[in-house]
Amino acid sequence: MEDIERDWNTPVAKAGIAAKSSVIVRVGMLDLGAGTGSFRVREMMHRIAYPLGVHVRADVNLTDIEASCTDGRGRITEVVDLPTTGVNTERIWLLEHFADWFNVHLGEESIYHAKPTVSEELVDQLGSPASRKSAMRAVKEARRERKAEQTQELLDEAVSGAQSAAAQGLADKGLKGVVGVAAVGVVGLADEDEHVENAQSGSARSSDAHSTFHGIHSHTAGNADSAPAATAGATSSPRRRVHRPPKGRYAQHFDHVGADVFPAGGSGITVGQVHDRLDLIERRRPLYSPLFSGFGAAVACAGFVFLLGGGPYDMIGAFVGAGIGQFLRRLLFARRLNQFFVTFICVAAAALACVGTLRLIGLLDPVALQHDTAYIGAMLFVIPGFPLITGGLDIAKIDFPSGIQRVAYTLSIILMATLAGWMVATIVHLNPQGFEPLGLSLWSDDLLRLAAAFAGVWGFSVLFNSPQRMCFTAASIGAITDTLRLTITDFGVPPEAAAFIGALLSGLLASAWRSSVRRGLLPPHLGYPRICLTVPSIVIMVPGLYMYQAMFHLGQFDTQSALNWGFRAFMVILCLPVGLAMARVLTDKSWRYDI
């Protein structure tokens, strides 16, 4: 800590290994706490370490990082532990911009965005009050203010230029009058005395004086023209040198060590300035209040129930139950209570609220009393889709410790949720047998599925703290892929194969979206990390109904039915990360080859 404090105001590129390591490991810790997989955490840490000339060897698990950093002169090992895990896609997105901001300031090229100014503006505006609700709104307001200032400066320059031109014109007229009077006086004297030589001499003096005036005028005009050019040359940024790392094993990690200047002409941001930016990212409040988060969960679960085959009464019950459950979960998490305890309490509350709502509706329409399966949809908001998918992706990257831990965490949360749902069903004497067919035509069913999938993915994106533009982007991808999955299932494709196709298409569409942004076909502020688009779009494909049916039959000691539903759920869950991994292999060279 003393070494970091000593280098607090030192440019980070020239700081000691302790200060550099504090930045690298903290970025990894923030990314891990946002719910992303270990492969992305390592990638982010390497992106921060490279311009610092530091080599990092990191072991990343579900809630801890052990990283060893060396710059060729010193070596330090840091271990950080997180008290819990969660999901925050906005933080994942901001850290991508931070990494670009960091690299550009140290003279490297941006990776996340083709235009580095996008990341620079976003990170620089994180401290403004407008960014508390929307970071992009703060950027837009800053752009408007900057444009207004530039317009005012141009107007001021135009006014001052007009005044200078008027003054110069008056000066030119006055000097020409003086020269003219002198010439007339000389010619008059020559005519009066009738001396030709004096007249010629006076004409010569007049010509010399006129030439002198033109010389003065030309010199003044030359200075006036050259001044803006000199100013422009002084304010324009120097041309950035192309960085070419030396060849050799691990040479790219140490090519900046011992340099007297910043790499590739970068600026000298200090260690304190870097940590200040990370403080702004870490201390950002959630984008949505507990009430709006509950509304997002209600919309997501209502859409989920329709996709499972539920009708209007089922959707109403799931809407009320999931909304109350998620609202309660946000309040309990704010008190830092244990995740498993909170999951059990909130699922029980959601199931009871759903059953109570249907019983109240049953007073008016007794048909609502027959909907015993709706409460399963009310508890699907607790499905840990992010650790489930990222765990599968970690295993695909041969990172078994992190992948197995994430899968085990997912199964533990699902076990607590299904156990709470089973206990509620036992207490209130429910017997879920599935949803009744709605009898819709093919086209109307597909259109309603499209709308329900869009609403469901949007709701899950809200739960993951995604900005609204990111929510709508993920919802658009999810609406296409999930509707396709259900449609081909109706035509006889096995649910497991349909889940694989849906996840594969989600990954391809997310990659196409990112590529369109980088090529300028879409606005640069719409460039989001693939994982922030793909995971919400396929969470709605997770077979929550299968998993609960397995637990329900297990509670009834019907082991054969429990194993049947359990293995069906396992196969679908297995196909989802495999589909995403295949999409990454097809579109990303770092996944295509083992390097």
Side-chain angles (χ1 to χ4, degrees), residues 95-115:
L95 286 173
E96 292 281 359
H97 284 289
F98 171 83
D100 265 12
W101 173 85
F102 185 82
N103 276 263
V104 169
H105 275 279
L106 291 180
E108 299 296 331
E109 296 181 353
S110 62
I111 298 176
Y112 182 61
H113 266 298
K115 295 181 179 180

Side-chain angles (χ1 to χ4, degrees), residues 235-385:
T235 56
S236 61
S237 59
R239 181 175 298 177
R240 182 168 293 173
R241 291 179 288 140
V242 178
H243 173 67
R244 295 183 177 85
K247 298 180 180 180
R249 189 177 184 184
Y250 300 123
Q252 68 271 22
H253 297 292
F254 304 104
D255 56 343
H256 306 317
V257 177
D260 295 330
V261 297
F262 298 104
S267 62
I269 53 173
T270 64
V271 176
Q273 290 173 336
V274 174
H275 279 290
D276 288 341
R277 292 296 191 280
L278 294 176
D279 286 339
L280 294 174
I281 295 176
E282 182 177 9
R283 296 171 184 173
R284 282 183 66 84
R285 295 180 179 179
L287 294 175
Y288 310 109
S289 65
L291 187 62
F292 193 86
S293 179
F295 174 75
V299 172
C301 290
F304 211 149
V305 165
F306 178 82
L307 296 175
L308 292 175
Y313 286 149
D314 300 306
M315 295 173 66
I316 293 174
F319 184 91
V320 175
I324 293 176
Q326 174 61 18
F327 176 77
L328 180 62
R329 184 166 74 149
R330 280 287 301 271
L331 295 181
L332 295 179
F333 276 159
R335 299 180 178 275
R336 301 183 181 277
L337 296 178
N338 182 270
Q339 279 202 36
F340 299 104
F341 169 76
V342 171
T343 299
F344 188 92
I345 296 298
C346 293
V347 167
L352 289 173
C354 176
V355 173
T357 300
L358 293 178
R359 296 288 170 87
L360 289 176
I361 297 176
L363 298 177
L364 301 176
D365 187 358
V367 176
L369 299 176
Q370 303 175 7
H371 293 264
D372 287 346
T373 313
Y375 77 97
I376 300 177
M379 50 186 272
L380 297 179
F381 67 94
V382 299
I383 291 179

